[in-house]
Amino acid sequence: NGTPFVNGTPFVNGTPFVNGTPFVNGTPFVNGTPFVNGTPINMYGSPGWGGRMPVAWAGPEPTRRPDSALKARRRPVVAILDTGVGEHDWLPEDIVRTDASVFGIPIGLQDPSTNPEWTGCIDDPLVGMLDSDSGHGTFIAGLIRQRCPDADILALRVMPSDGAVAESDLLHTLNLLALRQIVAQAQGDADNMIDVLTLSLGYYHESPEDLKYDPHLLVPLRILGETGVSVVVAAGNDCTARPMFPAAFTPYDGGYVAKSSRDCVPIVSVGALNPDGTIAMFSNGGEWVHSYRPGAALVSTFPKTFNGATGPALRVHLPGEGWRATMDPDDFSGGFGTWSGTSFAAPLLAADIAQSLVDGGCGSLDSVDRTNSLKRGWKAVARHTKLARP
């Protein structure tokens, strides 16, 4: 007695970590961030208003053409650095790879006990509620599958289920991925090449340590760009023009990167749109946000293993009829749900870029040398953004 649980204790709404010290936050829209409950903006985090909730999918699986029907001998590869990918019929092993290494060193987090895409309840298993970012990577993979079904996906895990990415894990993974890309390109190894990288995470400058972190993060991203990889980053959900990194590494006057380089495919920042095409109120904006894609109330894949502790409000069993119930708000066994955030706008642009590569109008995917990869990457980015190769 004497210790009632009141709002805000033991943790304030959101996550118990502050942005950027020493974590990089994921960017789905969840209750409590960036505004307290009760504001119009926060409705995006509520079920029925674009928040995470199950829905039924009545359409067909995206059609994937056989290899023989493609213009190139290989498919574009979209890399996702996120929470990983869970079990879903749309995301089999022949489409989604989760294992990558370079010189025998695994890339990304490998411990299965910390994989949030299996149960969804890692942070607080005693309560059994789905963690704030569980399903994040699976949802992103499903969006790419819908938008560019002919692409292959490389899903590397860097994000835990609370969305707080350790800076060291992110850097380690990006550096290894950049090294893998350099080696593959030098050896003409098309099987280990990636063409697009999508990131749905970020931080603001809140301390001198954040400023010191910038160049360490920018280096592997620029290396990837110099090999022809299009890097697409979510702009963030804080309804601010304050630059969020790494999205704000996109080139703009007065920015950290002031101008585009002919020899480096630029980082592209992506804000979110409502279903009617207006800019979502939660989306960050400003001159550093170059592109927008739908990011509110999207429908995509969730791990079919997810079934949190909430349960339906009413459930009865009738003889001869079976179970009758209200909706279970965190049972995703149907495999699909809705969610909102710039986290999900970024992979849609990544998939658009990948689709341009599939179509062949940007150059053949069969040529993996640096010169042709740069031309191809720049053409694909220019086709979908306001950025142009100098």
Side-chain angles (χ1 to χ4, degrees), residues 7 92 167 169 273 285 310 312 325:
N7 287 337
E167 292 176 350
D169 288 339
L273 300 175
T310 301

Side-chain angles (χ1 to χ4, degrees), residues 54-113:
V55 297
W57 178 273
E61 181 176 341
T63 302
R64 184 174 168 91
R65 292 176 292 176
D67 292 347
S68 59
L70 300 177
K71 294 181 179 179
R73 287 175 293 177
R74 75 177 185 95
R75 298 175 183 272
V77 177
V78 181
I80 306 169
L81 268 60
D82 213 88
T83 57
V85 171
E87 179 184 338
H88 199 280
D89 297 341
W90 282 17
L91 305 170
E93 292 182 357
D94 61 335
I95 294 177
V96 181
R97 287 185 56 189
T98 57
D99 60 327
S101 63
V102 58
F103 299 130
I105 305 171
I107 303 176
L109 302 175
Q110 301 291 325
D111 183 358
S113 67

